[in-house]
Amino acid sequence: MKNTILAIFIMLCAFSSQAFGQSVKPLSIQGGLGGGLSLGQSDLSDYNGYNLGGKLKLDVKMLPVKVVGHVHYNSLEDDQQRVLTQLGAETEDVSVEIVSVGAGIEYSVLPIPLIHPYVSADAAMNFFSGDQIDSFSRFGCGFGVGTEISLPVLPITFDIEAKYRLNNLIGKDDGEGTSNHIQLWAQVLFDLF
């Protein structure tokens, strides 16, 4: 009897490990769209607004990190200027738009079922424009934390992230200020491969 139970146990273990091995893809790609809030920091501390964009995640099972690419549009307006306009004062619009194109990594810190918290870092080329500025570009980076939420009944994954973006880290002109912002972001990811 013990031998029969042992044999059944070994067969079940072999079957489940074989089935598990077949279900794990060596490579998966997810893409998503989303948006959120952009909160100005440093010389942009009076500016707040919104962001829209997309993210592509490449998960190679042999690597401990996911490779990530992103494109974000951030629209920031001067809050003080907005208050003056609401009070009836005649003012000129003051806004800054930043388009960020970059790549980076995400490292899952605690992979538990359904929720996958991560830390992230990226490098990006940032393209600035606005009402009162000439267009220019600067190299920057970002550091953040986030989590993926996967529900087995849905074919999508929710991705929520907070990132501190250093927008003009490299390439500043003499006398140019520091324009950083916090990006709060939520998106829906779909399996592409």
Side-chain angles (χ1 to χ4, degrees), residues 4 10 14 33 37 57 60 63 91 94 108 114 124 131 143 183:
T4 305
I10 291 172
L33 298 172
L37 298 174
K57 294 188 178 194
V60 180
L63 297 177
T91 60
V94 179
S108 182
L114 307 179
D131 295 323
F143 304 96
Q183 183 173 305

Side-chain angles (χ1 to χ4, degrees), residues 148-193:
E148 289 183 4
I149 302 169
S150 304
L151 302 176
V153 295
L154 297 175
I156 58 176
T157 301
F158 299 99
D159 186 9
I160 302 166
E161 183 177 33
K163 188 167 276 191
Y164 192 85
R165 304 209 64 82
L166 306 162
N167 297 314
N168 61 344
L169 189 61
I170 298 174
K172 288 185 195 178
D173 290 336
D174 289 337
E176 182 178 329
T178 302
S179 53
N180 301 335
H181 75 277
I182 295 172
Q183 183 173 305
L184 305 174
W185 164 265
Q187 70 173 341
V188 178
L189 293 170
F190 301 92
D191 289 335
L192 302 176
F193 177 76

